[in-house]
Amino acid sequence: MKRRPAAFLILTILAASSLRPGILAAETAAEPAKKTTGESVRRILWEDGVKNAYPRWSRDGSRILFQSDRSGKWQLYVMKADGTGTRQLTEGPSNNNFPDWSPGNESIAFVSDRDGNEEIYVMRMDGSGLRRLTSNPAEDIHPYWSPDGKAILFSSTRDGSRFQLYETTPDGAPARRLVTSQDDDTCARVSPAGDRIVYLTNLSEGRDDVIVRNRDGSAPVNVTNDSPQDGWPVWTPDGKHIVFSSKRAGDFALFIMNPDGSGPRQLTFPPEGWLDARPSVSPDGRRIVFNRERGETIGILVLDLDPSGVVAAPR
C-alpha cells in the first residue's frame, strides 16, 4: 500500500463517499462560535454529514471556490463570501476535487478521475475550455497556480511510490520535476514574489513538516522541524508569513509564522475533538477561510483578522 502523509490521511478526502446531504446549520452547542486572539471566527457553510473542503478566495475576496461531496461524488462549487449564492461548477459520475483558481479567476485547475485515474485538468469558470494537463497512470494531485499564472505545481507518484513535486503550464507542457526526495511532498505553493515554494512533507521517518525551498527546488529548509504534525501551508499575500495547520497545541489548529519558522502564533482554538485545516488567506490579508472538521462533517469558516491585518498576540 502506498504511504500517505499523516495529515493528508486524517481528513480523508481523496475518496468519494455516500454521505447524505445536510442542511445549513445555525450555531449549535456542539460547535459554538469561538473568539480567538481577539478576532472572530464565523461559520459560513455547515452541512451536517457533508464534507465541504479546500476553500479558495477569489482575487477580489467576494467569492469562495470549494469542493463538496453533497451529491455523493466530489464536485466543484463557488459561493459568495458570506456563504450564499452557491453555484455548482462540475457534475457527473466522476470525482472532481482539489480546486485552485488562476490568478485572475478566469480558470480553475483541479483533479478529476473522469478518464480512469486522477489527472490534472483546467477549465474556465463556465465549464468551457476543458483541458487535461497530465496523462499518466500514476496519481497526479494538488494543482496550484503560480502567482504569475505561468505554471501549475502539482504532486505525483509518476517516478515511484512517493509523491514528488512537479510543474507544468496551463497549456499542458511536459511536466518538470522540481524536487527529488525520499519523502512524500504535497501542497506546494509559490511565494508571492515568485522566488520560493512552501509545501507539506511527510518525512521518510514518518513526521509531517513544512518545507521552504527556492523556486527551482534547491536549498530546502525544514521550517517547522518538530514532532507534532504540521501541514497545509500557504503564503500571506505580502509573502511575509506562512499560515499552516498544526497539532502542536493538541488538535489541528491554524498557526502563522515567519517564512524561516520563527515567531509561530496560534490563530484558531477549535473545540476539543475538532480539526482546523486548509487555510486560504484573502488577497487583502484580513481574512482566512478554512475547514473545521469533526467526524463526517467538514465545514467552511472564516477568521477575521484585526483591522490592520496584523494578527494579535495569542491569548
Side-chain angles (χ1 to χ4, degrees), residues 63 78 87 89 101 105-108 123-127:
R63 294 173 294 165
V78 65
R87 179 165 62 93
L89 303 178
W101 248 323
N105 301 152
E106 301 92 352
S107 300
I108 299 170
M123 71 176 185
R124 298 188 186 98
M125 282 296 294
D126 62 3

Side-chain angles (χ1 to χ4, degrees), residues 32-250:
K34 295 284 289 183
K35 291 287 186 179
T36 64
T37 66
E39 301 114 21
S40 63
V41 171
R42 62 186 188 278
R43 181 191 290 178
I44 61 169
L45 181 59
W46 193 270
E47 301 172 281
D48 290 330
V50 176
K51 297 177 181 178
N52 296 296
Y54 283 93
R56 301 281 180 261
W57 286 111
S58 63
R59 184 171 62 175
D60 64 2
S62 68
R63 294 173 294 165
I64 296 172
L65 175 69
F66 67 102
Q67 67 182 63
S68 178
D69 70 348
R70 63 186 65 182
S71 68
K73 292 286 187 178
W74 286 112
Q75 303 293 349
L76 306 184
Y77 298 80
V78 65
M79 63 182 174
K80 294 180 181 179
D82 63 2
T84 64
T86 299
R87 179 165 62 93
Q88 187 168 343
L89 303 178
T90 61
E91 58 184 12
S94 60
N95 290 298
N96 300 282
N97 48 26
F98 302 128
D100 194 48
W101 248 323
S102 63
N105 301 152
E106 301 92 352
S107 300
I108 299 170
F110 64 102
V111 173
S112 181
D113 59 8
R114 63 186 63 196
D115 292 320
N117 72 310
E118 291 174 314
E119 303 282 4
I120 310 296
Y121 292 78
V122 168
M123 71 176 185
R124 298 188 186 98
M125 282 296 294
D126 62 3
S128 65
L130 181 69
R131 306 187 303 279
R132 189 173 76 178
L133 303 188
T134 63
S135 182
N136 194 288
E139 293 176 82
D140 296 328
I141 61 172
H142 286 303
Y144 294 111
W145 295 79
S146 61
D148 61 8
K150 295 180 180 179
I152 296 174
L153 276 61
F154 67 99
S155 299
S156 178
T157 57
R158 63 184 57 203
D159 290 317
S161 61
R162 298 180 185 275
F163 281 109
Q164 298 284 271
L165 301 183
Y166 296 79
E167 69 174 347
T168 183
T169 61
D171 58 2
R176 181 173 75 91
R177 189 170 181 172
L178 290 176
V179 173
T180 299
S181 75
Q182 298 301 309
D183 313 313
D184 275 303
D185 301 326
T186 60
C187 302
R189 311 293 188 92
V190 178
S191 65
D195 59 339
R196 291 172 292 175
I197 58 175
V198 65
Y199 61 94
L200 159 66
T201 188
N202 178 236
L203 299 171
S204 55
E205 60 263 35
R207 197 177 77 231
D208 286 358
D209 276 317
V210 174
I211 305 293
V212 172
R213 288 180 181 256
N214 291 335
R215 176 66 176 83
D216 62 6
S218 65
V221 178
N222 187 332
V223 295
T224 52
N225 198 23
D226 56 2
S227 57
Q229 296 172 17
D230 305 300
W232 297 287
V234 296
W235 299 95
T236 55
D238 59 9
K240 294 181 178 179
H241 296 92
I242 293 170
V243 177
F244 65 107
S245 182
S246 178
K247 294 192 72 175
R248 60 186 61 192

